[in-house]
Amino acid sequence: ADLKPGDDGQHQGILSADDVAKAMALIASSANDSGSQWKADEFAAGISKHCPSLSWEDVIYKLPYAHLNVKHESGAVFIVNAFLAATAGQNRPFPYSFMYEIWPDAPAQVSFLRCTLRSASIAPYLLDKHMPTVLADPLDLLYKAYHPEFTRILASPWNSLSLILVLTHLLDSKASEDARALLEAGIAQEPLLVTLALARLKIQHPRLQALLQHNVARFLKRDFGHNGLFFELFRIYEKKMMLAFFCNIHRKDPSFSRHILDVLVDLGMANDLLLIPKREDIMMLDFIVELAVFASRRGMLAFETWFPGLLAELGGD
């Protein structure tokens, strides 16, 4: 495009947000291993000089409709850095939420998400401040107890309910295989964040419910790291769901009972569940009794007196 100002000396209306979005999309989509032939700061300076009133937020939100199809990390980096250069000193955050809307081209959206999540250089600008999976507040005590890991996950671009939500939607699109692969990559990289997000979103998709239960079982078996922090957060955000998952896992494989009891003891929940059972727990009675058997073997309670007491407590139920 011709970026020379008009004869009247005015620098407005030369390029619209749509025009700039199309140019950015073309540059970013053609980027490869050798990097973009365009420098983001020079591109931003040229556009800003001749279009000073341009809304760069509008430009970013128009990208999905400008045939954006990024294939390499450098393309995503170009887009983020162009925005940052154009708005330098204005304290305007990169409008990352455009990534989580429904794009007209699902494969292009998954490709863009993949490229952005791979880039450490732009990760700080993609943090979901509107819908994070985990917040430091009001978890001050937990933050102090697990400080190094907590600090790391708060700074991860995977700490986003929006990201997991859009990936679940994309599982039913023509980009389903790519979306599934990206979700699996997220689990490999950030199992705590992805699993907790799936739980918090309460998605009823059967495949995702199965995946969630499978991941919880893996945390119980300590296949993932930081299982202690995971279950602390699971208890805080979704206590009832956590107990329901424990019950279902036990019913499918009773060998998990000892792992479940270990977690409940670590969380300080074993006594409440075993010694003070609630009437709403009646649907988990088989699970509670099995836990009591294991607890009895460890000397935590006397089953021969606990069980009659349980029956008396439940009464006619």
Side-chain angles (χ1 to χ4, degrees), residues 42-268:
E42 294 178 357
F43 176 86
I47 297 295
S48 297
K49 178 180 179 180
H50 299 287
C51 304
S53 62
L54 180 71
S55 169
W56 284 87
E57 285 80 5
D58 284 350
V59 171
I60 298 300
Y61 278 103
K62 290 178 181 295
L63 285 173
Y65 306 93
H67 305 293
L68 177 68
N69 193 3
V70 171
K71 298 297 185 182
H72 190 269
E73 178 184 320
S74 60
V77 172
F78 171 81
I79 288 173
V80 175
N81 285 345
F83 176 90
L84 296 175
T87 60
Q90 300 176 30
N91 195 30
R92 288 155 66 182
F94 181 76
Y96 56 83
S97 58
F98 92 100
M99 300 189 300
Y100 308 134
E101 297 182 346
I102 302 301
W103 290 20
D105 187 342
Q109 183 172 16
V110 176
S111 182
F112 187 81
L113 289 170
R114 184 190 305 110
C115 291
T116 57
L117 292 167
R118 285 176 177 171
S119 176
S121 66
I122 60 175
Y125 306 105
L126 304 177
L127 300 183
D128 190 346
K129 297 180 180 179
H130 298 298
M131 290 180 62
T133 302
V134 178
L135 279 168
D137 298 329
L139 309 175
D140 292 341
L141 293 178
L142 202 58
Y143 182 85
K144 293 176 182 178
Y146 294 93
H147 178 68
E149 176 62 9
F150 218 125
T151 300
R152 191 192 65 75
I153 65 175
L154 289 176
S156 171
W158 284 98
N159 184 25
S160 170
L161 293 173
S162 301
L163 170 59
I164 304 305
L165 183 60
V166 75
L167 284 177
T168 62
H169 286 310
L170 288 166
L171 288 175
D172 292 322
S173 73
K174 61 181 179 180
S176 59
E177 292 301 319
D178 290 338
R180 184 177 299 107
L182 185 54
L183 188 62
E184 290 173 354
I187 293 171
Q189 182 179 343
E190 298 286 4
L192 183 153
L193 288 172
V194 176
T195 305
L196 192 62
L198 288 171
R200 294 197 62 191
L201 290 169
K202 297 180 175 63
I203 296 169
Q204 299 304 310
H205 194 296
R207 187 186 307 151
L208 292 174
Q209 280 288 309
L211 175 62
L212 175 56
Q213 186 157 304
H214 176 70
N215 281 3
V216 172
R218 293 188 66 185
F219 272 109
L220 283 169
K221 291 166 56 179
R222 301 177 184 268
D223 289 348
F224 297 128
H226 307 290
N227 62 300
L229 177 58
F230 170 75
F231 285 115
E232 288 279 12
L233 292 169
F234 204 0
R235 173 184 62 83
I236 290 169
Y237 288 117
E238 300 291 343
K239 180 179 177 180
K240 289 184 177 180
M241 180 187 291
M242 183 183 74
L243 291 176
F245 270 61
F246 285 173
C247 181
N248 290 336
I249 290 171
H250 154 76
R251 286 170 177 167
K252 290 183 177 180
D253 186 348
S255 69
F256 273 95
S257 296
R258 61 187 180 88
H259 299 299
I260 294 170
L261 182 59
D262 289 338
V263 169
L264 292 175
V265 170
D266 290 342
L267 295 176

Side-chain angles (χ1 to χ4, degrees), residues 286-302:
D286 60 320
F287 168 58
I288 294 173
V289 170
E290 186 70 19
L291 287 181
V293 170
F294 273 94
S296 178
R297 293 173 183 170
R298 297 183 183 183
M300 296 172 60
L301 55 81

